[in-house]
Amino acid sequence: MSRARLALIAFLPLLAPQPALAEPAVETVTDDLHHPWALAFLPDGEVLVTERRGRLWRVDPATGERQAIDGVPEVDHRNQGGLLDVLAHPAHADNQWIYLTWAGRCDGGNATHLGRGQLEGKRLVDFKTLHVATPCVDSRIHFGSRLAFDRDGYLFMTVGDRGERDRAQDLADHNGSVLRFHDNGRIPADNPFVDQADAEDAIFSYGHRNPQGATTHPQTGRVWIHEHGPRGGDEINIPAAGENFGWPIQTYGREYAGPEIAPNEVEGVIGPLHHWTPSIAPSGMTFYDHATTPTWQGNLFVGALAKRHLARLQLDGERVVSEKQWLKEREWRIRDVELGPDGALWVITDHADGRLLRLTPD
């Protein structure tokens, strides 16, 4: 046998599928959830799940039993609207604060709202609206609405362009932006546009289309987001103070009818760390940072609605070096994914009979 053939045979095992990329085992914790939108963990391991029609559930992760939480605000449940994200305060064990975002009616239409209340058993008490992303718009789409705390304790909130793309370049308009607050809803004095008369103080970054994923990097403490493109051009970005992320003057996406919308690169505009073209319709995102599964450590997981899978992205710093599609054969619309305190990945599916799933190494 030739040396070349021996070398090829020696190399073949390296080409075989690696255990680190194996599909996970899937357990249904609870089902019959009506279009769930978000999930969040409490310090005791219980799970909070929102349904767009305006319900908030408290789920026992061991049994799947759930209790409805009262005190939720009235929502505008039409098309993409309704009760959206949920997030526990980093110090929830001490203060019991729970944050919600929702589509709510207001003058001239509706808007993405932010509020918080204290969770006492089966009820939110002292619930207050902290912010309304104005101006109100007569639209039923692109609410954005993901929440994340960075390492410094600032609360970030994403807001979509409401289907009116030029709003994302208008600093006098909250829509199409990432907003930044203190945990009580106050606007930080060092937000980038606080001293600019024709800009909204809450805006941290702008030029975003419809960001429906947000998570905090476990090492850097910075918030990462992803956002929907129109037909291609879904993006992963790291919001930066005062920066323009391009929509709609820079995008890899195309009009639904066909032509290009704008150049892929524009001077002075921040390009994406990663983009999906064609679109996967990303929703929900989390980093894996747990000792339970070392082969998943440092990976970024993203739900996909249109392409119906869970994307596993392996990173080298801020660069995506490989991507794997999990659960594709299940044909589930993955709406949200979170790392649980048990080291499992927890996922919700966006269907009229949606599921809360627990994913572990097979």
Side-chain angles (χ1 to χ4, degrees):
M1 186 179 292
S2 70
R3 289 183 179 180
R5 185 167 178 78
L6 285 170
L8 176 60
I9 292 172
F11 182 66
L12 284 176
L14 299 179
L15 301 179
Q18 300 299 302
L21 298 179
E23 290 267 336
V26 180
E27 171 194 357
T28 298
V29 177
T30 191
D31 57 11
D32 197 28
L33 294 165
H34 190 272
H35 291 290
W37 206 90
L39 68 109
F41 283 91
L42 298 173
D44 64 2
E46 287 190 306
V47 189
L48 298 178
V49 178
T50 63
E51 292 180 339
R52 284 197 299 109
R53 61 182 173 179
R55 289 185 179 173
L56 176 62
W57 296 102
R58 187 170 189 163
V59 182
D60 184 327
T63 66
E65 294 182 0
R66 60 182 186 255
Q67 296 179 321
I69 303 299
D70 296 327
V72 174
E74 183 178 351
V75 303
D76 185 2
H77 174 219
R78 296 177 296 160
N79 200 332
Q80 296 176 10
L83 185 59
L84 302 173
D85 211 5
V86 58
L87 183 68
H89 191 284
H92 179 270
D94 298 321
N95 59 33
Q96 287 78 54
W97 288 120
I98 294 294
Y99 295 82
L100 296 174
T101 59
W102 68 97
R105 297 289 184 95
C106 51
D107 294 341
N110 54 23
T112 305
H113 289 58
L114 167 68
R116 75 171 185 178
Q118 291 179 302
L119 182 60
E120 295 185 359
K122 296 189 294 183
R123 184 170 181 80
L124 284 177
V125 300
D126 297 327
F127 191 88
K128 294 181 180 179
T129 298
L130 300 180
H131 187 81
V132 179
T134 57
C136 301
V137 181
D138 186 13
S139 171
R140 302 179 186 183
I141 63 174
H142 293 194
F143 293 94
S145 213
R146 288 294 178 188
L147 297 172
F149 278 99
D150 73 359
R151 179 171 292 169
D152 296 324
Y154 292 106
L155 176 62
F156 288 74
M157 170 186 175
T158 70
V159 185
D161 68 1
R162 308 304 318 287
E164 299 178 8
R165 59 183 60 169
D166 290 340
R167 293 182 180 277
Q169 290 294 317
D170 185 356
L171 290 173
D173 191 318
H174 289 119
N175 298 296
S177 303
V178 174
L179 311 181
R180 178 178 178 250
F181 305 96
H182 290 293
D183 66 350
N184 60 2
R186 290 190 302 108
I187 295 172
D190 61 349
N191 268 10
F193 302 110
V194 164
D195 295 325
Q196 188 167 318
D198 57 349
E200 288 289 349
D201 293 350
I203 294 176
F204 186 75
S205 63
Y206 65 106
H208 302 286
R209 185 172 181 266
N210 189 24
Q212 289 190 342
T215 190
T216 305
H217 193 285
Q219 275 73 52
T220 69
R222 297 180 68 188
V223 171
W224 291 36
I225 69 166
H226 65 56
E227 52 194 279
H228 293 272
R231 187 163 65 92
D234 301 337
E235 298 182 356
I236 295 178
N237 291 303
I238 304 177
E243 296 292 350
N244 183 357
F245 286 81
W247 176 254
I249 63 173
Q250 171 184 288
T251 177
Y252 287 87
R254 301 175 67 91
E255 299 283 10
Y256 290 110
E260 292 184 354
I261 295 171
N264 295 344
E265 297 183 9
V266 173
E267 186 176 355
V269 171
I270 305 296
L273 298 182
H274 182 70
H275 71 91
W276 289 276
T277 302
S279 172
I280 67 168
S283 184
M285 176 167 64
T286 194
F287 283 101
Y288 192 87
D289 183 34
H290 201 282
T292 299
T293 310
T295 54
W296 295 359
Q297 186 65 26
N299 291 180
L300 183 64
F301 291 89
V302 176
L305 297 167
K307 294 299 183 180
R308 302 192 176 208
H309 65 266
L310 180 66
R312 176 189 178 181
L313 280 62
Q314 293 180 294
L315 304 171
D316 179 6
E318 296 178 353
R319 184 171 63 93
V320 176
V321 296
S322 70
E323 183 171 350
K324 182 76 172 179
Q325 295 182 354
W326 283 354
L327 312 181
K328 191 168 185 179
E329 74 286 353
R330 311 266 185 156
E331 296 190 346
W332 287 327
R333 285 169 50 86
I334 305 298
R335 174 58 77 176
D336 198 10
V337 53
E338 294 288 344
L339 172 61
D342 59 351
L345 289 172
W346 292 70
V347 165
I348 53 174
T349 65
D350 184 7
H351 301 280
D353 57 348
R355 303 182 181 195
L356 172 64
L357 307 170
R358 183 175 181 267
L359 277 54
T360 54
D362 196 353

